[in-house]
Amino acid sequence: MIKYIAYCDDNPLFLNNRVIHKRSSIALEHDFLYLLATRLKEHGTQFITGDLALTKIATLKCRPAEVGLIATTGSRLADYLESIGAKPIAFFGFESPLWDQNFYTQYDTCKTSYPVRIFFRFMKENQTKGLQHPYFPKLKNSQYKKSHLHWRAKKLISFVTANKYLGLSAQKQNLQSRIRTFLKSKLLPRFFPEKIVAFRKATIINNELQTKRLELIRFFSKHPEFSLYGNGWEDLTNLPPEWQTALKPIINSSFKGKIKDKIAKTSEYKFALCIENGSYYGYITEKIIDAFIAGVVPVYLGAPDIKDYIPDNCFIDYRNFKSDEDLLEYLSDIRESEYETYLHNIQEFMSSNEGKKYSHYFFAETLFAHIRSLSPEMARRFNGIP
């Protein structure tokens, strides 16, 4: 019988039940865990963090088999609890393939002991439903951000992104090399399993967008109504030398510092650049949702299948423009009526069942449903059966 559901993430912020202390900043950011804990408590199961589960086992307050595991990628705590008899239930990860390459190059063989695995789709042939990134609480129409500024008083475009740059150990492959690796990985997987990993790693590297972010910062920094926000732009030494040289003379003209309230600051602009870490199938994070909540129109580049998740009348698709100059011309000349149509479409989407899938509430309910289905005793309690 499962008495405890243990959430395992090795980051110190997720220890000692901090993530379900309602007033803590980490709990507010991960509200789906608080909501899940509340739902579990209603049905007689306690939600705790993995370190406390380990303490209960060590002090003989429960047996390992009475602990169900919800784990994130890379949690050694989850691995240890599983090794001593705790029951894997759900596994998920919010990191992009670019930053979690070990998992995404071997996703079909990793964590298979978990009945529920939720992660970004990544490869076109991967039939995983994918992860809707939980970002916002349950919303009513009246809760959408409305800027106090008139449309014409808003500045043109903002870009909120941290100066994070991952040095890639492999060079981008040329087309011939990519085709050769692909054919080997598809035609001879039984004999060349390492080629599958190599092909997926090449896919991650070839489809990274951190370079595109730097290119857009360089381009838009010439425009007086462009603002860059985020951590780390005061020091460019983490970037490749050529980008340090390119950005150093111009970064001060556009960088406006760090921000405490991303939604409030973004709402002061008409548009927001929303560039993912990479162009991977199903990889849609909070960036475009942030723009929706702020009441601005996103300029999006990321998941190639974005239109399978979000209607294309809600955002400006960067891929539709031949050049950055063409994009800037479109943004500068857009009519107010056309802009307001985008905002109307955004509200319609966010109020729909598909839009609500990006809420903390939906993600918590999804996890709760999985736990119930995998735990017969919990299902009995849910249905009022002793």
Side-chain angles (χ1 to χ4, degrees), residues 183-200:
L183 290 176
K184 286 182 179 180
S185 67
K186 298 300 288 184
L187 298 179
L188 299 172
R190 183 174 301 176
F191 305 103
F192 294 93
E194 74 282 359
K195 294 298 183 183
I196 297 176
V197 173
F199 172 67
R200 289 175 181 169

Side-chain angles (χ1 to χ4, degrees), residues 198-357:
F199 172 67
R200 289 175 181 169
K201 185 171 184 179
T203 300
I204 290 171
I205 294 172
N206 279 282
N207 291 285
E208 60 86 11
L209 291 176
Q210 53 185 7
T211 303
K212 174 55 69 175
R213 286 177 179 172
L214 300 177
E215 291 173 356
L216 287 169
I217 291 170
R218 179 174 60 185
F219 174 78
F220 276 100
S221 289
K222 304 171 188 175
H223 196 284
E225 291 189 59
F226 169 71
S227 298
L228 172 67
Y229 298 96
N231 297 329
W233 293 106
E234 304 92 338
D235 182 3
L236 303 178
T237 54
N238 65 307
L239 300 178
E242 63 271 21
W243 279 108
Q244 294 181 42
T245 302
L247 293 181
K248 189 174 182 179
I250 61 174
I251 196 74
N252 288 336
S253 65
S254 57
F255 178 55
K256 308 303 180 185
K258 305 173 185 178
I259 51 177
K260 292 183 179 181
D261 189 335
K262 179 181 179 181
I263 304 302
K265 181 57 65 175
T266 304
S267 71
E268 298 175 5
Y269 297 79
K270 296 175 184 174
F271 305 99
L273 284 175
C274 300
I275 314 299
E276 304 285 14
N277 282 301
S279 180
Y280 312 120
Y281 285 91
Y283 177 58
I284 302 164
T285 67
E286 79 286 350
K287 296 173 180 60
I288 191 169
I289 304 300
D290 281 350
F292 289 166
I293 299 299
V296 304
V297 178
V299 177
Y300 182 81
L301 179 63
D305 56 346
I306 178 68
K307 296 177 185 178
D308 292 344
Y309 295 83
I310 296 175
D312 60 359
N313 61 5
C314 293
F315 64 93
I316 296 168
D317 193 334
Y318 179 85
R319 298 171 299 178
N320 292 339
F321 297 88
K322 295 180 179 179
S323 67
D324 292 339
E325 288 79 8
D326 288 345
L327 171 63
L328 178 57
E329 182 179 355
Y330 174 77
L331 299 180
S332 301
D333 295 343
I334 194 170
R335 299 187 303 274
E336 184 175 0
S337 59
E338 185 178 359
Y339 184 83
E340 290 295 332
T341 298
Y342 275 114
L343 295 185
H344 172 77
N345 295 336
I346 287 169
Q347 286 206 11
E348 288 290 310
F349 170 70
M350 292 297 285
S351 300
S352 70
N353 289 335
E354 288 301 307
K356 291 173 183 176
K357 288 181 179 179

